Amino acid sequence: PTEQGDFKIHLVVTKEDSSKKTFDLNFRPTCSVLNVKLDVSTFTNIPVSRQKWSGWPEGITDDLTLAQIGIKREHHMSLSIAPRHTGRDVSN
Protein backbone atom coordinates (compact mmCIF):
# COMPACT_ATOMS: atom_id res chain seq x y z
CA PRO A 1 0.00 0.00 0.00
CA THR A 2 1.11 3.52 -0.79
CA GLU A 3 1.75 5.89 2.09
CA GLN A 4 2.12 9.64 2.15
CA GLY A 5 5.80 10.48 1.83
CA ASP A 6 6.63 7.54 -0.43
CA PHE A 7 8.88 8.09 -3.41
CA LYS A 8 7.11 7.54 -6.73
CA ILE A 9 9.53 6.37 -9.38
CA HIS A 10 8.43 6.31 -13.02
CA LEU A 11 10.74 3.74 -14.58
CA VAL A 12 11.12 3.04 -18.30
CA VAL A 13 12.82 -0.30 -18.89
CA THR A 14 14.42 -1.06 -22.25
CA LYS A 15 14.95 -4.77 -22.86
CA GLU A 16 17.60 -6.37 -25.09
CA ASP A 17 15.13 -6.55 -28.00
CA SER A 18 14.67 -2.73 -27.68
CA SER A 19 11.10 -3.11 -26.40
CA LYS A 20 10.15 -0.65 -23.65
CA LYS A 21 7.88 -1.00 -20.67
CA THR A 22 6.95 1.66 -18.11
CA PHE A 23 6.44 0.96 -14.42
CA ASP A 24 5.13 3.28 -11.71
CA LEU A 25 6.77 2.20 -8.45
CA ASN A 26 6.40 3.35 -4.85
CA PHE A 27 9.19 3.07 -2.30
CA ARG A 28 9.48 4.14 1.32
CA PRO A 29 12.01 6.92 2.07
CA THR A 30 14.01 4.42 4.15
CA CYS A 31 14.46 2.06 1.18
CA SER A 32 18.08 1.80 0.06
CA VAL A 33 19.27 2.24 -3.51
CA LEU A 34 20.31 -1.43 -3.48
CA ASN A 35 16.81 -2.50 -2.39
CA VAL A 36 15.32 -0.57 -5.33
CA LYS A 37 17.73 -2.33 -7.71
CA LEU A 38 16.98 -5.75 -6.17
CA ASP A 39 13.22 -5.19 -6.30
CA VAL A 40 13.42 -4.10 -9.93
CA SER A 41 15.50 -7.17 -10.81
CA THR A 42 12.68 -9.44 -9.62
CA PHE A 43 10.18 -8.26 -12.22
CA THR A 44 12.53 -7.30 -15.07
CA ASN A 45 14.83 -10.34 -14.84
CA ILE A 46 17.79 -7.96 -15.19
CA PRO A 47 20.36 -8.85 -12.52
CA VAL A 48 21.70 -5.92 -10.49
CA SER A 49 25.16 -6.52 -11.97
CA ARG A 50 23.80 -5.85 -15.50
CA GLN A 51 21.47 -2.94 -14.69
CA LYS A 52 22.40 0.27 -16.50
CA TRP A 53 20.50 3.12 -14.84
CA SER A 54 19.90 6.69 -15.90
CA GLY A 55 18.46 9.13 -13.38
CA TRP A 56 20.34 8.39 -10.17
CA PRO A 57 22.25 11.41 -8.82
CA GLU A 58 26.03 11.42 -9.27
CA GLY A 59 28.15 9.81 -6.59
CA ILE A 60 25.50 7.76 -4.81
CA THR A 61 26.20 4.39 -3.25
CA ASP A 62 23.91 1.40 -2.90
CA ASP A 63 23.71 1.71 0.89
CA LEU A 64 22.14 5.20 0.83
CA THR A 65 18.38 5.56 1.29
CA LEU A 66 16.09 7.37 -1.11
CA ALA A 67 15.63 10.09 1.51
CA GLN A 68 19.42 10.63 1.61
CA ILE A 69 20.17 10.93 -2.11
CA GLY A 70 18.26 14.12 -2.85
CA ILE A 71 15.77 13.07 -5.51
CA LYS A 72 12.28 14.52 -5.73
CA ARG A 73 9.34 12.55 -4.32
CA GLU A 74 8.26 11.92 -7.91
CA HIS A 75 11.23 10.95 -10.04
CA HIS A 76 11.75 9.67 -13.60
CA MET A 77 14.41 7.07 -14.34
CA SER A 78 15.34 4.62 -17.05
CA LEU A 79 16.95 1.20 -17.00
CA SER A 80 18.53 -0.89 -19.69
CA ILE A 81 20.62 -4.02 -19.70
CA ALA A 82 24.38 -3.56 -19.79
CA PRO A 83 26.39 -5.73 -22.17
CA ARG A 84 28.08 -8.81 -20.74
CA HIS A 85 31.79 -8.41 -20.10
CA THR A 86 34.09 -10.92 -21.72
CA GLY A 87 37.79 -11.47 -21.38
CA ARG A 88 38.22 -9.89 -24.82
CA ASP A 89 37.06 -6.50 -23.46
CA VAL A 90 40.44 -5.88 -21.81
CA SER A 91 42.59 -3.29 -23.59
CA ASN A 92 46.37 -3.27 -23.67
Coordinates of all heavy atoms in Angstrom, one line a residue:
P1 N 0.8 -1.2 0.0 CA 0.0 0.0 0.0 C 0.9 1.3 0.0 O 1.9 1.3 0.6 CB -0.8 -0.1 1.3 CG -0.1 -1.1 2.1 CD 0.7 -2.0 1.2
T2 N 0.4 2.3 -0.7 CA 1.1 3.5 -0.8 C 0.8 4.3 0.5 O -0.3 4.4 0.9 CB 0.6 4.3 -2.0 OG1 0.8 3.5 -3.2 CG2 1.4 5.6 -2.2
E3 N 1.9 5.0 0.9 CA 1.8 5.9 2.1 C 2.2 7.3 1.7 O 3.0 7.4 0.8 CB 2.6 5.4 3.3 CG 2.0 4.1 3.9 CD 2.8 3.8 5.2 OE1 3.5 4.6 5.7 OE2 2.6 2.6 5.6
Q4 N 1.7 8.3 2.4 CA 2.1 9.6 2.2 C 3.6 9.7 2.5 O 4.1 9.2 3.5 CB 1.3 10.6 3.0 CG 1.6 12.0 2.7 CD 0.7 13.0 3.5 OE1 -0.2 12.5 4.2 NE2 1.0 14.2 3.5
G5 N 4.4 10.4 1.6 CA 5.8 10.5 1.8 C 6.6 9.5 1.0 O 7.8 9.5 1.0
D6 N 5.9 8.5 0.4 CA 6.6 7.5 -0.4 C 7.2 8.2 -1.6 O 6.8 9.3 -2.1 CB 5.7 6.4 -0.9 CG 5.4 5.4 0.1 OD1 6.0 5.4 1.2 OD2 4.6 4.5 -0.2
F7 N 8.3 7.6 -2.2 CA 8.9 8.1 -3.4 C 8.2 7.4 -4.5 O 8.0 6.1 -4.5 CB 10.4 7.8 -3.5 CG 11.2 8.7 -2.6 CD1 11.4 8.6 -1.3 CD2 11.8 9.8 -3.2 CE1 12.1 9.5 -0.5 CE2 12.5 10.7 -2.5 CZ 12.7 10.5 -1.1
K8 N 7.8 8.1 -5.6 CA 7.1 7.5 -6.7 C 8.1 7.6 -7.9 O 8.5 8.7 -8.3 CB 5.9 8.3 -7.1 CG 4.8 8.2 -6.1 CD 3.6 9.1 -6.3 CE 2.5 9.0 -5.4 NZ 2.8 9.0 -4.0
I9 N 8.5 6.4 -8.3 CA 9.5 6.4 -9.4 C 8.8 5.9 -10.7 O 8.2 4.8 -10.7 CB 10.7 5.5 -9.0 CG1 11.4 6.1 -7.8 CG2 11.6 5.2 -10.2 CD1 12.6 5.3 -7.3
H10 N 8.9 6.7 -11.7 CA 8.4 6.3 -13.0 C 9.6 5.7 -13.8 O 10.6 6.5 -14.1 CB 7.9 7.5 -13.8 CG 6.8 8.2 -13.0 ND1 5.5 7.7 -12.9 CD2 6.8 9.3 -12.3 CE1 4.8 8.5 -12.2 NE2 5.5 9.5 -11.7
L11 N 9.6 4.4 -14.0 CA 10.7 3.7 -14.6 C 10.4 3.2 -16.0 O 9.4 2.5 -16.1 CB 11.1 2.6 -13.7 CG 12.3 1.7 -14.1 CD1 13.6 2.5 -14.1 CD2 12.5 0.5 -13.2
V12 N 11.2 3.6 -16.9 CA 11.1 3.0 -18.3 C 12.2 2.0 -18.5 O 13.4 2.4 -18.3 CB 11.2 4.2 -19.4 CG1 11.2 3.5 -20.8 CG2 10.1 5.2 -19.2
V13 N 11.9 0.8 -18.7 CA 12.8 -0.3 -18.9 C 12.9 -0.7 -20.4 O 11.9 -0.9 -21.0 CB 12.4 -1.5 -18.1 CG1 13.4 -2.7 -18.3 CG2 12.3 -1.2 -16.6
T14 N 14.2 -0.7 -20.9 CA 14.4 -1.1 -22.3 C 15.1 -2.4 -22.2 O 16.2 -2.6 -21.6 CB 15.3 -0.1 -23.0 OG1 14.8 1.2 -22.9 CG2 15.5 -0.4 -24.4
K15 N 14.4 -3.4 -22.8 CA 14.9 -4.8 -22.9 C 15.9 -4.9 -24.0 O 16.1 -4.1 -24.9 CB 13.8 -5.8 -23.0 CG 12.8 -5.8 -21.9 CD 13.5 -6.4 -20.7 CE 12.5 -7.1 -19.8 NZ 13.0 -8.1 -18.9
E16 N 16.6 -6.1 -24.1 CA 17.6 -6.4 -25.1 C 17.0 -6.3 -26.5 O 17.7 -6.0 -27.4 CB 18.3 -7.7 -24.9 CG 19.2 -7.7 -23.7 CD 19.9 -9.0 -23.5 OE1 19.2 -10.0 -23.2 OE2 21.2 -9.1 -23.6
D17 N 15.8 -6.6 -26.7 CA 15.1 -6.6 -28.0 C 14.6 -5.1 -28.3 O 13.9 -4.9 -29.3 CB 14.0 -7.6 -28.1 CG 12.8 -7.3 -27.2 OD1 12.9 -6.3 -26.4 OD2 11.9 -8.0 -27.2
S18 N 15.0 -4.2 -27.5 CA 14.7 -2.7 -27.7 C 13.2 -2.4 -27.3 O 12.8 -1.3 -27.5 CB 15.0 -2.2 -29.1 OG 16.4 -2.3 -29.3
S19 N 12.5 -3.4 -26.9 CA 11.1 -3.1 -26.4 C 11.2 -2.3 -25.1 O 12.1 -2.5 -24.3 CB 10.3 -4.4 -26.2 OG 10.9 -5.2 -25.2
K20 N 10.2 -1.5 -24.9 CA 10.1 -0.7 -23.7 C 8.9 -0.9 -22.9 O 7.8 -1.2 -23.4 CB 10.2 0.8 -24.0 CG 11.5 1.2 -24.6 CD 11.6 2.7 -24.9 CE 12.9 3.0 -25.7 NZ 13.6 4.0 -25.2
K21 N 9.0 -0.9 -21.5 CA 7.9 -1.0 -20.7 C 8.0 0.0 -19.6 O 9.1 0.2 -19.0 CB 7.8 -2.4 -20.1 CG 6.6 -2.7 -19.3 CD 6.2 -4.1 -19.2 CE 4.9 -4.3 -18.6 NZ 4.4 -5.6 -18.4
T22 N 6.9 0.7 -19.2 CA 6.9 1.7 -18.1 C 6.3 1.1 -16.9 O 5.3 0.4 -16.9 CB 6.2 2.9 -18.6 OG1 6.8 3.4 -19.8 CG2 6.2 4.0 -17.5
F23 N 6.9 1.4 -15.7 CA 6.4 1.0 -14.4 C 6.3 2.2 -13.5 O 7.2 3.1 -13.6 CB 7.4 0.0 -13.8 CG 7.6 -1.3 -14.5 CD1 8.6 -1.4 -15.5 CD2 6.8 -2.4 -14.3 CE1 8.8 -2.6 -16.2 CE2 6.9 -3.6 -15.0 CZ 8.0 -3.7 -16.0
D24 N 5.3 2.3 -12.7 CA 5.1 3.3 -11.7 C 5.3 2.6 -10.4 O 4.5 1.7 -10.0 CB 3.8 4.0 -11.8 CG 3.7 4.9 -13.0 OD1 4.7 5.5 -13.3 OD2 2.6 4.9 -13.7
L25 N 6.4 2.9 -9.7 CA 6.8 2.2 -8.5 C 6.7 3.1 -7.3 O 7.0 4.3 -7.4 CB 8.2 1.6 -8.6 CG 8.4 0.8 -9.9 CD1 9.9 0.5 -10.0 CD2 7.6 -0.4 -9.9
N26 N 6.4 2.6 -6.1 CA 6.4 3.3 -4.8 C 7.4 2.7 -3.9 O 7.4 1.5 -3.7 CB 5.0 3.4 -4.2 CG 4.0 4.1 -5.1 OD1 4.3 5.2 -5.5 ND2 2.9 3.5 -5.3
F27 N 8.2 3.5 -3.3 CA 9.2 3.1 -2.3 C 9.2 4.0 -1.1 O 9.0 5.2 -1.2 CB 10.6 3.1 -2.9 CG 10.8 2.1 -4.0 CD1 10.8 2.4 -5.3 CD2 11.1 0.7 -3.7 CE1 10.9 1.5 -6.3 CE2 11.3 -0.2 -4.7 CZ 11.2 0.2 -6.0
R28 N 9.4 3.4 0.1 CA 9.5 4.1 1.3 C 10.8 5.0 1.3 O 11.8 4.6 0.7 CB 9.5 3.2 2.5 CG 8.3 2.3 2.7 CD 7.1 3.1 3.2 NE 6.0 2.2 3.5 CZ 5.0 1.9 2.7 NH1 4.9 2.4 1.5 NH2 4.0 1.1 3.0
P29 N 10.8 6.1 2.0 CA 12.0 6.9 2.1 C 13.2 6.2 2.7 O 14.3 6.5 2.4 CB 11.6 8.1 3.0 CG 10.1 8.1 2.9 CD 9.7 6.7 2.7
T30 N 12.9 5.2 3.5 CA 14.0 4.4 4.1 C 14.6 3.3 3.3 O 15.5 2.6 3.7 CB 13.5 3.8 5.5 OG1 12.3 3.0 5.2 CG2 13.2 4.9 6.5
C31 N 14.0 3.1 2.1 CA 14.5 2.1 1.2 C 15.8 2.4 0.6 O 16.0 3.6 0.2 CB 13.4 1.9 0.1 SG 13.8 0.5 -1.0
S32 N 16.7 1.5 0.6 CA 18.1 1.8 0.1 C 18.1 1.7 -1.5 O 17.2 1.1 -2.1 CB 19.1 0.8 0.6 OG 18.9 -0.5 0.1
V33 N 19.1 2.3 -2.1 CA 19.3 2.2 -3.5 C 19.4 0.8 -3.9 O 18.8 0.3 -4.9 CB 20.5 3.1 -3.9 CG1 20.9 2.8 -5.4 CG2 20.3 4.5 -3.7
L34 N 20.1 0.0 -3.2 CA 20.3 -1.4 -3.5 C 19.0 -2.2 -3.4 O 18.7 -3.0 -4.3 CB 21.3 -2.1 -2.5 CG 21.5 -3.6 -2.8 CD1 22.0 -3.9 -4.2 CD2 22.5 -4.2 -1.7
N35 N 18.1 -1.9 -2.5 CA 16.8 -2.5 -2.4 C 16.0 -2.2 -3.6 O 15.2 -3.0 -4.1 CB 16.1 -2.1 -1.1 CG 16.6 -2.8 0.1 OD1 17.1 -2.2 1.0 ND2 16.6 -4.1 0.1
V36 N 16.0 -0.9 -4.1 CA 15.3 -0.6 -5.3 C 15.8 -1.4 -6.5 O 15.0 -2.0 -7.2 CB 15.5 0.9 -5.7 CG1 14.9 1.2 -7.1 CG2 14.8 1.8 -4.6
K37 N 17.1 -1.5 -6.6 CA 17.7 -2.3 -7.7 C 17.3 -3.8 -7.6 O 17.0 -4.5 -8.6 CB 19.2 -2.2 -7.7 CG 19.7 -0.8 -8.1 CD 21.2 -0.7 -8.0 CE 21.7 0.7 -8.4 NZ 23.2 0.8 -8.3
L38 N 17.4 -4.3 -6.4 CA 17.0 -5.7 -6.2 C 15.5 -6.0 -6.5 O 15.1 -7.0 -7.1 CB 17.3 -6.2 -4.7 CG 18.8 -6.3 -4.4 CD1 19.0 -6.5 -2.9 CD2 19.4 -7.5 -5.1
D39 N 14.7 -5.1 -6.0 CA 13.2 -5.2 -6.3 C 12.9 -5.2 -7.8 O 12.2 -5.9 -8.3 CB 12.4 -4.1 -5.6 CG 12.3 -4.3 -4.1 OD1 12.7 -5.4 -3.6 OD2 11.8 -3.4 -3.4
V40 N 13.6 -4.2 -8.5 CA 13.4 -4.1 -9.9 C 13.9 -5.4 -10.7 O 13.3 -5.8 -11.6 CB 14.1 -2.8 -10.5 CG1 14.2 -2.8 -12.0 CG2 13.4 -1.6 -9.9
S41 N 15.0 -6.0 -10.1 CA 15.5 -7.2 -10.8 C 14.5 -8.3 -10.8 O 14.5 -9.2 -11.7 CB 16.8 -7.6 -10.2 OG 16.7 -8.2 -8.9
T42 N 13.6 -8.3 -9.7 CA 12.7 -9.4 -9.6 C 11.6 -9.4 -10.7 O 11.2 -10.5 -11.1 CB 12.0 -9.5 -8.2 OG1 11.2 -8.3 -8.1 CG2 13.0 -9.6 -7.1
F43 N 11.2 -8.3 -11.2 CA 10.2 -8.3 -12.2 C 10.7 -7.9 -13.6 O 10.0 -8.0 -14.6 CB 9.0 -7.3 -11.8 CG 9.3 -5.9 -11.7 CD1 9.4 -5.1 -12.7 CD2 9.6 -5.4 -10.4 CE1 9.7 -3.7 -12.6 CE2 9.9 -4.1 -10.2 CZ 9.9 -3.2 -11.3
T44 N 12.0 -7.5 -13.7 CA 12.5 -7.3 -15.1 C 13.4 -8.4 -15.5 O 13.8 -8.5 -16.7 CB 13.4 -6.0 -15.1 OG1 14.5 -6.1 -14.2 CG2 12.5 -4.8 -14.8
N45 N 13.9 -9.3 -14.6 CA 14.8 -10.3 -14.8 C 16.2 -9.8 -15.3 O 16.9 -10.5 -16.0 CB 14.3 -11.4 -15.8 CG 13.1 -12.1 -15.3 OD1 13.1 -12.5 -14.1 ND2 12.1 -12.4 -16.1
I46 N 16.5 -8.5 -14.9 CA 17.8 -8.0 -15.2 C 18.6 -8.0 -13.9 O 18.2 -7.3 -12.9 CB 17.7 -6.5 -15.7 CG1 16.9 -6.5 -17.0 CG2 19.1 -5.9 -16.0 CD1 16.6 -5.0 -17.5
P47 N 19.6 -8.8 -13.8 CA 20.4 -8.9 -12.5 C 21.0 -7.5 -12.2 O 21.3 -6.7 -13.1 CB 21.4 -9.9 -12.8 CG 21.3 -10.4 -14.2 CD 20.2 -9.7 -14.8
V48 N 21.1 -7.2 -10.9 CA 21.7 -5.9 -10.5 C 23.0 -5.7 -11.2 O 23.3 -4.5 -11.6 CB 21.8 -5.9 -9.0 CG1 22.6 -4.6 -8.5 CG2 20.5 -6.0 -8.3
S49 N 23.8 -6.7 -11.4 CA 25.2 -6.5 -12.0 C 25.1 -6.1 -13.4 O 26.1 -5.6 -14.0 CB 26.0 -7.8 -11.9 OG 25.3 -8.9 -12.6
R50 N 23.9 -6.2 -14.1 CA 23.8 -5.8 -15.5 C 22.9 -4.7 -15.7 O 22.5 -4.3 -16.8 CB 23.3 -7.0 -16.3 CG 24.4 -8.1 -16.3 CD 24.4 -9.1 -17.5 NE 24.3 -8.5 -18.8 CZ 23.6 -9.0 -19.8 NH1 23.0 -10.1 -19.6 NH2 23.6 -8.4 -20.9
Q51 N 22.4 -4.1 -14.6 CA 21.5 -2.9 -14.7 C 22.3 -1.7 -15.0 O 23.2 -1.3 -14.4 CB 20.7 -2.7 -13.4 CG 19.7 -3.8 -13.1 CD 19.1 -3.6 -11.7 OE1 19.3 -2.7 -11.0 NE2 18.2 -4.6 -11.4
K52 N 21.8 -1.0 -16.1 CA 22.4 0.3 -16.5 C 21.3 1.3 -16.3 O 20.4 1.4 -17.0 CB 22.8 0.2 -17.9 CG 23.5 1.4 -18.4 CD 24.0 1.3 -19.9 CE 24.6 2.5 -20.4 NZ 25.0 2.4 -21.8
W53 N 21.5 2.1 -15.2 CA 20.5 3.1 -14.8 C 20.8 4.5 -15.4 O 22.0 4.9 -15.5 CB 20.5 3.2 -13.3 CG 19.8 2.0 -12.6 CD1 20.5 0.9 -12.3 CD2 18.5 1.9 -12.2 NE1 19.6 0.0 -11.7 CE2 18.4 0.6 -11.6 CE3 17.4 2.7 -12.3 CZ2 17.1 0.2 -11.1 CZ3 16.2 2.3 -11.8 CH2 16.1 1.0 -11.2
S54 N 19.8 5.3 -15.6 CA 19.9 6.7 -15.9 C 18.9 7.4 -15.0 O 17.7 7.0 -14.9 CB 19.6 6.9 -17.4 OG 19.6 8.3 -17.6
G55 N 19.4 8.4 -14.3 CA 18.5 9.1 -13.4 C 18.9 9.2 -11.9 O 18.3 10.0 -11.1
W56 N 19.8 8.3 -11.5 CA 20.3 8.4 -10.2 C 21.3 9.6 -10.1 O 22.0 9.9 -11.1 CB 21.2 7.2 -9.8 CG 20.4 5.9 -9.6 CD1 20.6 4.7 -10.4 CD2 19.4 5.6 -8.6 NE1 19.7 3.8 -9.9 CE2 19.0 4.2 -8.8 CE3 18.9 6.3 -7.5 CZ2 18.1 3.6 -8.0 CZ3 17.9 5.6 -6.8 CH2 17.5 4.3 -7.0
P57 N 21.3 10.3 -9.0 CA 22.3 11.4 -8.8 C 23.7 10.9 -8.9 O 24.0 9.7 -8.6 CB 21.9 12.0 -7.4 CG 20.6 11.5 -7.1 CD 20.4 10.2 -7.8
E58 N 24.6 11.8 -9.2 CA 26.0 11.4 -9.3 C 26.5 11.1 -7.9 O 26.1 11.7 -6.9 CB 26.9 12.6 -9.8 CG 26.6 12.9 -11.3 CD 27.2 11.9 -12.2 OE1 28.3 11.4 -11.9 OE2 26.5 11.6 -13.2
G59 N 27.4 10.1 -7.8 CA 28.1 9.8 -6.6 C 27.4 9.1 -5.5 O 27.8 9.0 -4.4
I60 N 26.2 8.5 -5.8 CA 25.5 7.8 -4.8 C 26.1 6.4 -4.6 O 26.7 5.8 -5.5 CB 24.0 7.7 -5.1 CG1 23.8 6.9 -6.4 CG2 23.3 9.0 -5.2 CD1 22.4 6.3 -6.5
T61 N 25.8 5.8 -3.5 CA 26.2 4.4 -3.2 C 25.0 3.6 -2.9 O 23.9 4.1 -2.5 CB 27.2 4.3 -2.1 OG1 26.7 4.9 -0.9 CG2 28.5 5.0 -2.4
D62 N 25.1 2.3 -3.1 CA 23.9 1.4 -2.9 C 23.4 1.4 -1.5 O 22.2 1.0 -1.3 CB 24.3 0.0 -3.3 CG 24.3 -0.2 -4.8 OD1 23.8 0.7 -5.6 OD2 24.9 -1.2 -5.3
D63 N 24.2 1.8 -0.5 CA 23.7 1.7 0.9 C 22.9 3.0 1.3 O 22.3 3.0 2.4 CB 24.9 1.5 1.8 CG 25.9 2.6 1.8 OD1 26.2 3.1 0.7 OD2 26.5 2.9 2.8
L64 N 22.9 4.0 0.5 CA 22.1 5.2 0.8 C 20.6 5.0 0.6 O 20.2 4.2 -0.2 CB 22.6 6.4 0.0 CG 24.0 6.9 0.2 CD1 24.4 7.9 -0.8 CD2 24.2 7.4 1.6
T65 N 19.8 5.7 1.4 CA 18.4 5.6 1.3 C 17.9 6.6 0.3 O 18.6 7.6 0.0 CB 17.7 5.8 2.6 OG1 17.9 7.2 3.0 CG2 18.2 4.8 3.7
L66 N 16.7 6.4 -0.2 CA 16.1 7.4 -1.1 C 16.0 8.7 -0.5 O 16.2 9.8 -1.1 CB 14.7 6.9 -1.6 CG 14.7 5.6 -2.4 CD1 13.3 5.2 -2.8 CD2 15.6 5.8 -3.7
A67 N 15.7 8.8 0.8 CA 15.6 10.1 1.5 C 17.0 10.8 1.6 O 17.0 12.0 1.6 CB 15.1 9.9 2.9
Q68 N 18.1 10.0 1.5 CA 19.4 10.6 1.6 C 20.0 11.1 0.3 O 20.9 11.9 0.3 CB 20.4 9.6 2.2 CG 20.1 9.2 3.6 CD 21.0 8.1 4.1 OE1 21.2 7.1 3.4 NE2 21.6 8.3 5.3
I69 N 19.5 10.6 -0.8 CA 20.2 10.9 -2.1 C 19.7 12.2 -2.8 O 20.3 12.6 -3.8 CB 20.1 9.7 -3.1 CG1 18.7 9.4 -3.5 CG2 20.8 8.5 -2.5 CD1 18.6 8.4 -4.6
G70 N 18.6 12.8 -2.3 CA 18.3 14.1 -2.9 C 17.4 14.1 -4.1 O 17.5 15.1 -4.9
I71 N 16.7 13.0 -4.4 CA 15.8 13.1 -5.5 C 14.4 13.6 -5.1 O 14.1 13.6 -3.9 CB 15.6 11.7 -6.2 CG1 15.0 10.6 -5.2 CG2 16.9 11.2 -6.8 CD1 14.7 9.3 -5.9
K72 N 13.6 14.0 -6.0 CA 12.3 14.5 -5.7 C 11.4 13.3 -5.4 O 11.7 12.2 -5.7 CB 11.7 15.3 -6.9 CG 12.4 16.5 -7.2 CD 11.8 17.2 -8.4 CE 12.6 18.5 -8.7 NZ 12.1 19.2 -9.9
R73 N 10.3 13.6 -4.7 CA 9.3 12.5 -4.3 C 8.8 11.8 -5.5 O 8.4 10.7 -5.5 CB 8.2 13.1 -3.5 CG 8.6 13.6 -2.1 CD 8.9 12.4 -1.2 NE 9.4 12.9 0.1 CZ 9.8 12.1 1.0 NH1 9.7 10.8 0.9 NH2 10.2 12.6 2.1
E74 N 8.7 12.5 -6.7 CA 8.3 11.9 -7.9 C 9.4 12.1 -8.9 O 9.8 13.2 -9.2 CB 7.0 12.6 -8.4 CG 6.4 11.8 -9.5 CD 4.9 12.3 -9.8 OE1 4.2 12.7 -8.9 OE2 4.5 12.2 -11.0
H75 N 10.0 10.9 -9.3 CA 11.2 11.0 -10.0 C 11.1 10.0 -11.3 O 10.5 9.0 -11.2 CB 12.3 10.5 -9.1 CG 13.7 10.7 -9.6 ND1 14.3 11.9 -9.7 CD2 14.7 9.8 -10.0 CE1 15.5 11.8 -10.2 NE2 15.8 10.5 -10.4
H76 N 11.7 10.5 -12.4 CA 11.7 9.7 -13.6 C 13.1 9.1 -13.8 O 14.1 9.8 -13.6 CB 11.4 10.5 -14.8 CG 10.0 11.0 -14.8 ND1 9.0 10.4 -15.4 CD2 9.4 12.1 -14.2 CE1 7.8 11.0 -15.2 NE2 8.1 12.1 -14.4
M77 N 13.1 7.8 -14.1 CA 14.4 7.1 -14.3 C 14.3 6.1 -15.5 O 13.1 5.8 -15.9 CB 14.8 6.3 -13.1 CG 14.9 7.1 -11.9 SD 15.4 6.2 -10.4 CE 17.1 6.1 -10.7
S78 N 15.4 5.7 -16.0 CA 15.3 4.6 -17.0 C 16.4 3.6 -16.7 O 17.4 3.8 -16.0 CB 15.6 5.2 -18.4 OG 16.9 5.8 -18.5
L79 N 16.1 2.4 -17.3 CA 16.9 1.2 -17.0 C 17.1 0.4 -18.3 O 16.1 0.2 -19.0 CB 16.3 0.3 -15.9 CG 16.9 -1.0 -15.7 CD1 18.3 -0.9 -15.0 CD2 16.0 -1.9 -14.8
S80 N 18.3 0.0 -18.6 CA 18.5 -0.9 -19.7 C 19.5 -2.0 -19.2 O 20.0 -1.9 -18.1 CB 19.1 -0.1 -20.9 OG 20.3 0.5 -20.6
I81 N 19.7 -2.9 -20.1 CA 20.6 -4.0 -19.7 C 22.0 -3.7 -20.2 O 22.2 -3.4 -21.4 CB 20.1 -5.4 -20.2 CG1 20.8 -6.5 -19.6 CG2 20.0 -5.5 -21.7 CD1 20.1 -7.8 -19.6
A82 N 23.0 -3.8 -19.4 CA 24.4 -3.6 -19.8 C 24.9 -4.8 -20.5 O 24.5 -5.9 -20.2 CB 25.2 -3.3 -18.6
P83 N 25.8 -4.6 -21.5 CA 26.4 -5.7 -22.2 C 27.2 -6.6 -21.2 O 27.7 -6.1 -20.2 CB 27.3 -5.1 -23.2 CG 27.4 -3.7 -22.9 CD 26.4 -3.3 -21.9
R84 N 27.3 -7.9 -21.5 CA 28.1 -8.8 -20.7 C 29.5 -8.5 -21.0 O 29.9 -8.2 -22.1 CB 27.8 -10.2 -21.1 CG 26.5 -10.7 -20.6 CD 26.4 -12.3 -20.7 NE 25.3 -12.8 -20.0 CZ 24.1 -13.0 -20.5 NH1 23.9 -12.8 -21.8 NH2 23.1 -13.5 -19.8
H85 N 30.3 -8.6 -19.9 CA 31.8 -8.4 -20.1 C 32.4 -9.7 -20.4 O 32.1 -10.8 -19.8 CB 32.4 -7.8 -18.8 CG 31.9 -6.5 -18.5 ND1 32.2 -5.4 -19.3 CD2 31.1 -6.0 -17.5 CE1 31.7 -4.3 -18.8 NE2 31.0 -4.7 -17.7
T86 N 33.3 -9.7 -21.4 CA 34.1 -10.9 -21.7 C 35.6 -10.6 -21.5 O 36.0 -9.5 -21.4 CB 33.8 -11.3 -23.2 OG1 34.4 -10.3 -24.0 CG2 32.4 -11.5 -23.5
G87 N 36.4 -11.6 -21.5 CA 37.8 -11.5 -21.4 C 38.4 -10.7 -22.5 O 39.5 -10.1 -22.4
R88 N 37.7 -10.6 -23.7 CA 38.2 -9.9 -24.8 C 38.0 -8.4 -24.7 O 38.5 -7.6 -25.5 CB 37.5 -10.4 -26.1 CG 38.0 -11.8 -26.4 CD 37.2 -12.3 -27.6 NE 36.1 -13.0 -27.0 CZ 35.1 -13.5 -27.7 NH1 35.0 -13.4 -29.0 NH2 34.1 -14.2 -27.1
D89 N 37.3 -7.9 -23.7 CA 37.1 -6.5 -23.5 C 38.3 -5.8 -22.9 O 38.3 -4.6 -22.8 CB 35.9 -6.3 -22.5 CG 34.6 -6.7 -23.2 OD1 34.5 -6.8 -24.4 OD2 33.6 -6.9 -22.4
V90 N 39.3 -6.5 -22.5 CA 40.4 -5.9 -21.8 C 41.3 -5.2 -22.9 O 41.7 -5.9 -23.9 CB 41.2 -7.0 -21.0 CG1 42.5 -6.3 -20.4 CG2 40.3 -7.6 -20.0
S91 N 41.7 -4.0 -22.7 CA 42.6 -3.3 -23.6 C 44.0 -3.3 -23.1 O 44.3 -3.5 -21.9 CB 42.2 -1.8 -23.8 OG 41.2 -1.4 -23.0
N92 N 44.9 -3.2 -24.0 CA 46.4 -3.3 -23.7 C 46.8 -1.9 -23.2 O 46.6 -0.9 -23.6 CB 47.2 -3.7 -24.9 CG 46.9 -5.2 -25.2 OD1 46.5 -5.9 -24.4 ND2 47.1 -5.5 -26.5

